[in-house]
Amino acid sequence: MNNFFDTIDLSLTPYSCAGSWLSVSRLGEAHGIHPEGLYLRTNREVFSYAPLFRVELLKEGAPVPFRERLVPGALRLETAEGDAAELTFEGTDTIRFRSKSLCCRLHAAGGVGLAHFLRPRLWRFAWRGESRSDNCLFHLEALSGGGELSAQWDGMAAHDIVWSAVAPAEFALTESPLEPVERPHTSFEQCRERQACEFAAFTASFPDAEPFARERFHALYLNWSAQVKPSGLVKRRCMLVSKNKMSGMWAWDHCFNALAMAKAQPELAFDQFMAMFDRQDEQGAIPDLLTPTVEMRVHVKPPVHGWIFSLMRRVNPEFFRRGEITRQVCEVLRCWTRYWTEFRDYSGIGMPFYTHGKDSGWDNSTLFLGPVPLASPELAAYLVLQMELLAELTAELGRRNESAMWRESARRQQERLLKFAWDGKTFHAVSPEGRRLQQRGDTLLVYLPLLLGKRLPAEIAAKLREGMFRPGRFRTAYGLATESAASPYYDPAGYWRGPIWAPSTFIAISGLLGCGDRESADALAYDYCRLCSEHGFYENFNAKTGEGNDEKTLSWSVSIFLLLSEYLNDNRR
């Protein structure tokens, strides 16, 4: 698969390595960055590409254009004349650069507060401002050749900062909040080899899966390089949603990433699952978003965690049924479930409520065009599955009375779901007064209680499948639109008002399998994998054309592709 590297587009897929908070991307007008070029970046800042330096190559004093080519363990910057420079990672905190024939200039991007000489061959750069992490401090060390810093100082901050190296040159850019100390550096070749071996070992832990083997290799690179090491509020090794602009973890995205890692990389999967729960508050809520310096708590995300962890136990029982893991997960899920039942049941009808579309994960779904708070039917379904898992976990821990309580709670939650939200034809959101709310749009969201599978009466499951696949509504050549194509609110780039998303696809497929409809599930799984194969791993997709929307690579899109392509491969045997 080495030829896969030749096709990587750094405007879509950053160059990085597992564990690093640094990445390299080609940014330009499409990203809101000027001037266009190759940038060294930090991923500690969410909702921003956070450029640090723009890389410029020169020959005989003049800038020369170059193209990027990913090779095993390194990134090559190649000119049309055959000259090249190379970048790789030394560990997770240092980017190494070398060039035999090309000079290099680093143009510091906005927000730099300090840029100064420390001692021969060593310089310091620090970014400041509200948009930057307190830890955004770097040392640049010339390992061979020299370097020169040019900057304007206004008495408070440095401006117009350019650092230049003359060929042949090799230097190391290291992120560290500490004062620099002299240390030996590994050779460039050894750094490159180590990176190549680490990625090869990661990919080797996953099975091959036809007919999407090439795309799986790309997907595995994305999820390998999406990993970061513990930092600040992030207490575990885990995967970011993206190393493009959405450099954080959201409180349901992280679950799907954990599931994709559960079989091949169980330690990573467990840390990924638990990372948000490290920030669980006294009421049991977990943050909506987590970064090293920020946790957002205005909203939450839906409690899919019990359902996802039950799948993790199914695919890797040897690891995820261990007693200590069972105890840890049981405790956080007990608190998470009680948050919803005790603090989100605003009217005491036994149905938990969302206060905003973002709580559901479907931020702008047409279900939320009406007044909030509302009890969305899939929320109750998630809780049924989470309560059932808690009954299983507490039984394994010998807490029989508690297990019986959770089993009864699951039964009563489903009973209330059918009583309040089902009208004989479809599910509805419910008001705090227990009144069924009529939709103004036509969203797929109300069909997700299908996830309950055979727990549902057969008549209800049949009506949900019929509504989901009724011609002219949700089903397209690529999958299930999140808003009916016949709806006046349908928008091909409307976020949760039309585009196909990975999690809604996976939930629908799981529900279909639970009802015994393997034919429909297989067709949706194949169409989603084909969608990613043809259009990439975008945040979401135009339901009719397959064109990607919003964030250019998203790890949960990648993870669900990995899960579904492996599922399809297993079914071919």
Side-chain angles (χ1 to χ4, degrees):
M1 287 294 177
N2 284 353
N3 61 342
F4 145 78
F5 290 108
D6 295 338
T7 64
I8 284 286
D9 180 352
L10 262 66
S11 69
L12 303 177
T13 302
Y15 170 60
S16 188
C17 76
S20 182
W21 289 91
L22 302 172
S23 60
V24 183
S25 295
R26 178 161 287 278
L27 305 176
E29 183 177 350
H31 307 83
I33 300 295
H34 181 79
E36 185 272 340
L38 187 72
Y39 285 84
L40 311 183
R41 303 169 44 232
T42 175
N43 292 113
R44 297 183 182 277
E45 184 177 342
V46 72
F47 304 127
S48 169
Y49 288 103
L52 299 170
F53 292 99
R54 179 170 59 87
V55 178
E56 186 178 39
L57 300 181
L58 303 94
K59 189 165 187 180
E60 298 177 352
V64 292
F66 59 88
R67 75 177 189 96
E68 304 84 42
R69 184 164 68 89
L70 199 61
V71 297
L75 179 68
R76 286 178 58 84
L77 314 180
E78 300 176 338
T79 71
E81 291 73 29
D83 296 303
E86 292 181 288
L87 287 83
T88 191
F89 280 84
E90 181 181 358
T92 58
D93 298 329
T94 299
I95 294 179
R96 294 281 294 272
F97 175 97
R98 75 172 180 182
S99 174
K100 295 180 179 179
S101 58
L102 297 170
C103 300
C104 176
R105 283 181 187 158
L106 298 181
H107 298 261
V112 179
L114 291 173
H116 60 83
F117 171 85
L118 286 175
R119 58 176 181 261
R121 304 163 71 91
L122 185 66
W123 296 261
R124 169 183 281 168
F125 301 86
W127 277 255
R128 68 176 190 177
E130 294 181 359
S131 65
R132 295 293 185 186
S133 163
D134 292 338
N135 292 326
C136 206
L137 192 150
F138 291 81
H139 308 132
L140 195 155
E141 182 178 2
L143 303 180
S144 66
E148 181 178 336
L149 176 65
S150 171
Q152 301 298 316
W153 177 252
D154 66 5
M156 288 293 290
H159 306 277
D160 303 321
I161 301 162
V162 179
W163 185 86
S164 304
V166 177
E170 184 170 349
F171 60 83
L173 181 69
T174 300
E175 179 185 28
S176 173
L178 304 176
E179 292 294 327
V181 295
E182 291 189 9
R183 64 182 178 92
H185 286 274
T186 307
S187 73
F188 191 96
E189 287 78 8
Q190 289 173 316
C191 293
R192 181 175 57 191
E193 181 65 20
R194 178 179 176 182
Q195 291 297 316
C197 289
E198 287 184 2
F199 176 56
F202 181 82
T203 58
S205 68
F206 291 81
D208 294 331
E210 297 293 345
F212 299 104
R214 179 181 176 82
E215 292 80 6
R216 277 179 65 84
F217 197 78
H218 186 185
L220 289 170
Y221 172 76
L222 288 168
N223 275 7
W224 174 76
S225 63
Q227 295 175 56
V228 290
K229 67 180 183 180
S231 179
L233 299 176
V234 178
K235 303 299 183 183
R236 301 171 188 253
R237 179 177 62 128
C238 53
M239 294 161 55
L240 298 179
V241 167
S242 174
K243 281 190 177 176
N244 278 317
K245 195 172 184 179
M246 295 177 68
S247 298
M249 284 193 301
W250 275 260
W252 70 322
D253 311 43
H254 80 110
C255 278
F256 294 95
N257 285 338
L259 178 59
M261 298 295 109
K263 189 173 182 179
Q265 297 281 324
E267 293 87 359
L268 171 60
F270 181 64
D271 282 344
Q272 178 74 19
F273 184 85
M274 294 295 290
M276 301 300 288
F277 289 105
D278 289 335
R279 304 299 302 169
Q280 194 166 33
D281 67 23
E282 64 269 22
Q283 292 183 336
I286 58 178
D288 178 21
L289 166 67
L290 186 65
T291 78
T293 57
V294 174
E295 57 179 5
M296 291 187 178
R297 291 189 176 271
V298 175
H299 306 293
V300 289
K301 284 293 181 280
V304 296
H305 304 75
W307 165 57
I308 291 289
F309 191 71
S310 68
L311 298 180
M312 293 168 70
R313 282 161 62 88
R314 187 183 306 171
V315 300
N316 194 340
E318 181 179 354
F319 186 90
F320 291 104
R321 289 182 179 271
R322 293 177 182 176
E324 181 54 34
I325 286 178
T326 298
R327 278 189 289 274
Q328 290 184 53
V329 173
C330 183
E331 290 310 305
V332 298
L333 291 184
R334 285 173 70 246
C335 296
W336 182 220
T337 305
R338 284 178 170 155
Y339 166 75
W340 287 98
T341 59
E342 294 181 13
F343 297 100
R344 280 298 189 107
D345 180 5
Y346 296 126
S347 60
I349 65 171
M351 292 283 282
F353 288 84
Y354 293 138
T355 61
H356 192 282
K358 290 186 177 182
D359 289 343
S360 73
W362 293 49
D363 301 16
N364 66 333
S365 167
T366 56
L367 191 71
F368 299 94
L369 287 172
V372 292
L374 59 79
S376 185
E378 92 294 346
L379 171 55
Y382 296 148
L383 284 172
V384 169
L385 298 178
Q386 190 151 292
M387 291 169 178
E388 286 187 355
L389 175 69
L390 281 167
E392 183 179 323
L393 298 181
T394 50
E396 290 178 16
L397 295 171
R399 289 150 38 181
R400 295 181 180 179
N401 290 341
E402 186 179 355
S403 177
M405 180 274 291
W406 285 118
R407 188 73 61 188
E408 175 62 13
S409 295
R411 186 194 66 79
R412 293 175 62 189
Q413 186 68 70
Q414 181 165 326
E415 184 179 81
R416 289 189 290 267
L417 167 64
L418 299 182
K419 173 184 175 182
F420 288 107
W422 180 254
D423 70 354
K425 296 180 180 179
T426 191
F427 280 110
H428 295 266
V430 178
S431 74
E433 299 78 26
R435 178 173 50 88
R436 296 187 193 105
L437 301 172
Q438 297 302 310
Q439 282 198 64
R440 291 168 60 182
D442 189 10
T443 176
L444 182 68
L445 185 57
V446 297
Y447 290 88
L448 296 194
L450 188 66
L451 186 61
L452 292 173
K454 292 185 177 179
R455 298 170 185 81
L456 290 172
E459 179 186 1
I460 292 179
K463 288 182 178 180
L464 289 176
R465 295 201 307 276
E466 188 279 327
M468 185 182 289
F469 292 110
R470 190 178 304 152
R473 292 185 80 198
F474 304 109
R475 187 66 163 105
T476 74
Y478 289 105
L480 291 171
T482 45
E483 180 77 10
S484 167
S487 167
Y489 296 99
Y490 176 83
D491 181 345
Y495 220 54
W496 291 96
R497 296 188 182 182
I500 292 169
W501 285 74
S504 54
T505 299
F506 189 77
I507 293 167
I509 289 170
S510 299
L512 291 165
L513 289 172
C515 292
D517 187 355
R518 179 171 166 177
E519 181 179 357
S520 297
D522 287 2
L524 282 176
Y526 182 84
D527 287 343
Y528 179 77
C529 291
R530 178 172 58 87
L531 171 64
C532 293
S533 175
E534 294 176 5
H535 295 280
F537 298 103
Y538 280 81
E539 184 175 2
N540 58 79
F541 304 87
N542 183 312
K544 296 180 179 179
T545 68
E547 180 182 3
N549 297 322
D550 301 310
E551 182 67 290
K552 294 172 175 59
T553 54
L554 215 69
S555 56
W556 73 349
S557 299
V558 171
S559 289
I560 288 171
F561 168 83
L562 289 171
L563 290 164
L564 294 180
S565 59
E566 187 172 339
Y567 162 77
L568 291 170
N569 186 70
D570 290 345
N571 286 348
R572 287 160 54 96
R573 297 172 183 172

